[in-house]
């Protein structure tokens, strides 16, 4: 069944450049309705968690995020639309998650949360919400360039037993149905998002790992350079699309 779907995939249609479109356009009416209504959107439960975590004193420093950053609606406004980006403090390209974690470890002096911890997803969703509706505009020149090129190369590299690149599914076949799902352009704008299949909210890293698993490739570790590079490339590729986190997906 899977092999049939993949061979069909490789037969049809050449690549064509498409205008960027949100993955929401490829979801069913039920999902679109959930995302449109903050009271129905299950991801908003994680946002509430994040808002509470923002105010909670933590670690040996006994400080909350709010103690240093004040009102997130002001201090974090627009930030998520510019990330990932080169981070002078960390000396590398970093995602929103790694910036938050740097503060938890260095500023609060608390242990780094494990990947996909509920409060960590909540903080990312809460901070991303402060940029909702803003167009993505990441900087890929200068110090970020090498990571960007790495992400671009990865995006076009065949991986896994199915021997498919991200581009095969998300550039050449967006809009086509693969097994039960409609393929979108693989845009990052909804994340962190609530995914029905998980019955939970998760990060873009978790979503990307699911794509690796889907083509029977070894999954890159959470917070690895591969995932950072891919996220930078995806954000650049989505330039101009509005951030819609926290989204809802099948
Ligand atoms: C065999 C096809 C396939 C390949 C190859 C693949 N994906 Fe996906 N991907 C999917 C499917 C199916 C979904 C869920 C439906 C959708 O949104 O496209 C998905 C979802 C996504 C999403 C979430 C889109 C949204 O709006 O929520 C992103 C981002 C993504 N993929 C990126 C990638 C990247 C990066 C790669 C390469 C490492 C990759 N995918 C490889 C099939 C694939
Ligand atoms: C003791 C003070 C302190 C605490 C507590 C603290 N931070 Fe920070 N945070 C900083 C400093 C200093 C920076 C670096 C500022 C800069 O680079 O402009 C920073 C940077 C950040 C950034 C990156 C901002 C940017 O423009 O790139 C984020 C996101 C962030 N903090 C989130 C948090 C969150 C979430 C918490 C709570 C879990 C938190 N911080 C706790 C001091 C703190």
């Amino acid at each position: 069944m899977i092999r049939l779907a993949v061979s069909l995939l490789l037969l049809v249609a050449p690549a064509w450049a498409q205008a960027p479109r949100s993955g929401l356009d490829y979801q069913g009416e039920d999902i679109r309705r959930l995302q449109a209504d903050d009271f129905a959107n299950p991801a908003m439960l994680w946002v509430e968690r994040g808002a509470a975590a923002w105010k909670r004193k933590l670690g040996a420093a006994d400080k909350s995020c709010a103690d240093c950053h004040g009102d997130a609606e002001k201090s974090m406004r627009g930030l998520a639309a510019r990330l990932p980006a080169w981070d002078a403090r960390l000396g590398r390209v970093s995602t929103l998650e790694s910036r938050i974690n740097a503060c938890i470890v260095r500023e609060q002096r608390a242990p780094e949360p494990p990947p996909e911890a509920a409060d960590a997803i909540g903080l990312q969703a809460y901070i991303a919400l402060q940029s909702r509706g803003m167009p993505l505009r990441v900087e890929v020149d200068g110090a970020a360039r090498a990571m960007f090129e790495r992400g671009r190369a990865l995006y076009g590299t065949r991986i896994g037993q199915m021997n498919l690149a991200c581009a095969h599914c998300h550039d050449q076949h967006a809009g086509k149905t693969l097994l039960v799902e409609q393929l979108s352009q693989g845009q990052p704008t909804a994340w962190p998002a609530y995914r029905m299949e998980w019955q939970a909210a998760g990060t873009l890293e978790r979503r990307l790992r699911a794509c690796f698993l889907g083509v029977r490739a070894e999954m890159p570790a959470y917070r690895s350079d591969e995932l950072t590079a891919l996220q930078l490339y995806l954000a650049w590729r989505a330039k101009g699309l509005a951030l819609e986190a926290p989204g809802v997906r099948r």
Side-chain angles (χ1 to χ4, degrees):
M1 176 68 165
I2 288 171
R3 193 163 296 164
L4 176 67
V6 169
S7 50
L8 286 176
L9 203 73
L10 293 177
L11 278 175
V12 257
W16 70 92
Q18 297 171 322
R21 262 176 81 184
S22 161
L24 192 62
D25 292 357
Y26 301 84
Q27 297 284 319
E29 183 56 37
D30 51 337
I31 302 281
R32 287 206 292 267
R33 208 174 293 142
L34 281 179
Q35 186 172 310
D37 177 359
D38 281 350
F39 293 98
N41 182 342
M44 292 309 279
L45 295 173
W46 275 260
V47 169
E48 280 171 30
R49 256 193 114 108
W54 181 263
K55 295 195 196 110
R56 195 181 307 128
K57 291 190 190 291
L58 199 72
D62 197 31
K63 285 224 159 78
S64 70
C65 319
D67 286 340
C68 293
H69 294 290
D71 182 356
E73 285 175 27
K74 292 192 193 107
S75 64
M76 296 289 134
R77 188 179 152 78
L79 177 66
R82 298 193 303 269
L83 296 179
W86 179 260
D87 187 332
R89 185 172 56 146
L90 301 177
R92 59 182 159 88
V93 171
S94 76
T95 58
L96 176 57
E97 181 181 24
S98 59
R99 283 177 198 223
I100 296 170
N101 287 348
C103 277
I104 293 174
V105 173
R106 296 180 184 193
E107 306 289 345
Q108 294 182 312
R109 285 184 278 130
E112 183 172 78
E116 305 302 302
D119 277 354
I121 295 168
L123 278 169
Q124 289 174 63
Y126 177 58
I127 292 173
L129 181 66
Q130 313 310 328
S131 304
R132 189 161 68 174
M134 297 181 191
L136 294 201
R137 45 181 194 93
V138 295
E139 180 59 63
V140 299
D141 287 329
R145 194 75 202 180
M147 202 55 126
F148 169 74
E149 293 301 348
R150 185 165 175 189
R152 171 147 68 184
L154 270 170
Y155 190 86
T157 304
R158 289 176 182 272
I159 52 169
Q161 285 173 29
M162 289 190 185
N163 204 29
L164 291 171
C166 318
H168 283 119
C169 285
H170 292 301
D171 287 351
Q172 299 184 14
H173 298 289
K176 304 241 166 54
T177 301
L178 176 64
L179 304 177
V180 295
E181 279 195 289
Q182 215 193 11
L183 283 168
S184 73
Q185 296 176 350
Q187 303 290 359
T189 44
W191 301 84
Y194 184 90
R195 195 172 170 214
M196 295 296 170
E197 194 182 310
W198 299 333
Q199 296 285 299
T203 65
L204 180 56
E205 295 208 347
R206 185 172 177 194
R207 171 63 256 188
L208 296 180
R209 280 164 51 92
C211 286
F212 278 82
L213 192 67
V215 295
R216 311 282 182 274
E218 200 183 313
M219 287 189 286
Y222 279 107
R223 301 161 184 173
S224 59
D225 283 353
E226 283 102 318
L227 290 182
T228 301
L230 275 172
Q231 289 175 92
L232 179 60
Y233 175 70
L234 289 175
W236 172 83
R237 180 173 165 268
K239 191 164 69 183
L241 276 183
L243 203 89
E244 55 184 282
V248 186
R249 292 293 185 266
R250 227 181 75 88

